[in-house]
């Protein structure tokens, strides 16, 4: 019988039924986002690290030992970074309280320039457009949740350990079961995973490079919290299209408060050039056209996954979208128009 009962429905009823099912699925994903985020991150890390663990296994290092060493190294880096950020929390909170007052004093010069153009605006009115204190308050709120973040990541690493250890068994089981009509699906999934591995590695490399450049640059021009701005650049660079621009907002505001408008514009221009170099030069050279996703598609994917799964969904938006694209194309292969005409 199959789905013959469904094809008998009117087109509008079928569309409404599909939308209702999709709404239920998305609602379930939204409610289960905390657990799903941990599983997705552990899965992505396992896929990225599996070639390294396999290479160490061939050198007669037990897989469980190499997996533990890699995870312990990642955990150590995270703990050191967290401790460093925790030390900055009191100063960031103080900056959060002082930023509106300091920025209002700076904006008086801008109001004088507007007055010459017969535009009457006060510093308080200008502050309604940019709430600089809110930006830093979001940062400090994140820092106050660091203990919960550490325990959350420990669970991710625990799942990652089991995934890395059982990855050869999983790959062997998939190769035995996907035959015949499922072969194309498996090949498409395998190709998608390889492309995602390349994308994740290149994105991690450019994020580290961008974070180092921002941290060193902020330190050289005398900005406070240079280490934090570098970490912020590292994290936000994973966000497609807009990530590095979002990471530029706090340093630009701080440079405007500490120095003047010219320095703030120079810092903003520095971030624009850095974003163009990373996203338009380095990443295309290393990734090539593997993903083949337009910028509009990347932005829409970020908005969708961020709304569904939070910041983790925004970071994983491109890999998730590309894998779903490959699976759908394998599930519904396109037929050759010439072959259809000859039938």
């Amino acid at each position: 019988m199959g789905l013959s009962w469904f094809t008998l429905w009117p087109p509008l009823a079928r569309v409404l039924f599909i939308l209702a099912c999709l709404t239920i699925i998305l609602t379930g994903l939204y409610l289960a986002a905390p657990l799903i985020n941990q599983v997705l991150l552990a899965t992505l890390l396992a896929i990225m690290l599996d070639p390294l663990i396999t290479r160490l296994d061939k050198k007669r290092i037990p897989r469980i030992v190499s997996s533990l060493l890699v995870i312990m190294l990642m955990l150590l880096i995270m703990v050191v970074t967290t401790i460093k950020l925790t030390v900055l929390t009191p100063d960031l909170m103080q900056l959060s309280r002082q930023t509106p007052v300091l920025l209002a004093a700076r904006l008086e010069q801008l109001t004088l320039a507007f007055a010459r153009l017969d535009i009457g605006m006060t510093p308080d009115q200008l502050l309604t457009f940019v709430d600089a204190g809110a930006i830093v308050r979001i940062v400090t709120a994140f820092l106050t949740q660091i203990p919960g973040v550490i325990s959350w990541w420990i669970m991710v690493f625990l799942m990652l350990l089991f995934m890395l250890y059982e990855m050869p068994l999983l790959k062997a089981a998939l190769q035995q079961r996907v035959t015949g009509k499922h072969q194309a699906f498996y090949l498409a999934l395998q190709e998608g995973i390889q492309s995602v591995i390349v994308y994740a590695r290149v994105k991690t490399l450019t994020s580290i490079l961008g974070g180092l450049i921002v941290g060193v640059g902020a330190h050289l021009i005398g900005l406070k919290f240079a280490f934090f701005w570098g970490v912020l650049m590292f994290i936000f660079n994973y966000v497609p299209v807009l990530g590095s621009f979002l990471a530029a907002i706090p340093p630009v505001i701080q440079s405007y408060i500490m120095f003047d408008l010219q320095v703030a514009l120079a810092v903003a221009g520095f971030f624009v050039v850095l974003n163009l170099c990373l996203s338009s030069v380095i990443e295309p050279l290393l990734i090539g056209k593997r993903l083949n996703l337009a910028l509009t598609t990347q932005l829409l994917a970020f908005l969708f996954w961020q709304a569904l799964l939070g910041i983790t969904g925004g970071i994983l938006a491109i890999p998730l979208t590309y894998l779903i694209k490959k699976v759908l194309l394998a599930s519904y292969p396109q037929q050759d128009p010439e072959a259809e005409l000859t039938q």
Side-chain angles (χ1 to χ4, degrees), residues 23-154:
T23 301
I24 294 173
I25 293 172
L26 294 179
T27 303
L29 292 175
Y30 177 79
L31 295 176
L35 177 60
I36 292 175
N37 288 338
Q38 290 179 319
V39 175
L40 286 176
L41 275 175
T43 303
L44 179 64
L45 289 173
I47 292 173
M48 288 178 58
L49 296 174
D50 179 63
L52 173 62
I53 303 300
T54 302
R55 189 178 304 172
L56 294 175
D57 192 18
K58 292 180 179 179
K59 294 183 178 181
R60 298 185 178 180
I61 300 177
R63 192 174 183 87
I64 186 66
V65 175
S66 58
S67 301
L68 275 173
L69 290 176
V70 171
I71 291 175
M72 291 300 295
L73 178 61
M74 294 172 61
L75 185 59
L76 178 62
I77 294 174
M78 181 172 294
V79 170
V80 172
T81 303
T82 301
I83 293 174
K84 181 70 175 179
L85 294 178
T86 304
V87 174
L88 300 176
T89 303
D91 293 333
L92 278 170
M93 289 183 175
Q94 184 179 4
L95 177 63
S96 175
R97 292 189 292 267
Q98 295 177 350
T99 295
V101 178
L102 297 174
L103 192 57
R106 286 289 185 183
L107 290 176
E108 289 182 357
Q109 301 175 357
L110 194 58
T111 57
L112 295 177
F114 283 149
R116 298 190 186 96
L117 300 175
D118 294 330
I119 301 176
M121 296 190 71
T122 64
D124 292 335
Q125 291 174 331
L126 290 175
L127 282 175
T128 58
F129 295 97
V130 180
D131 188 358
I135 297 172
V136 184
R137 285 195 298 272
I138 294 173
V139 173
T140 53
F142 170 76
L143 292 177
T144 56
Q145 299 174 358
I146 282 177
V149 172
I150 290 295
S151 61
W152 190 87
W153 272 100
I154 289 176

Side-chain angles (χ1 to χ4, degrees), residues 7 13 20 30 38 45 53 89 95 142 146 154 167 182 189 193 201 204 226 228 253 267 285 289 292 294 308 337:
T7 58
Y30 177 79
Q38 290 179 319
L45 289 173
I53 303 300
T89 303
L95 177 63
F142 170 76
I146 282 177
I154 289 176
M167 188 66 71
H182 300 293
L189 183 61
I193 289 175
R201 288 177 177 175
T204 301
F228 181 75
I253 293 177
V267 172
L285 286 176
K289 296 183 178 180
N292 194 23
L308 187 64

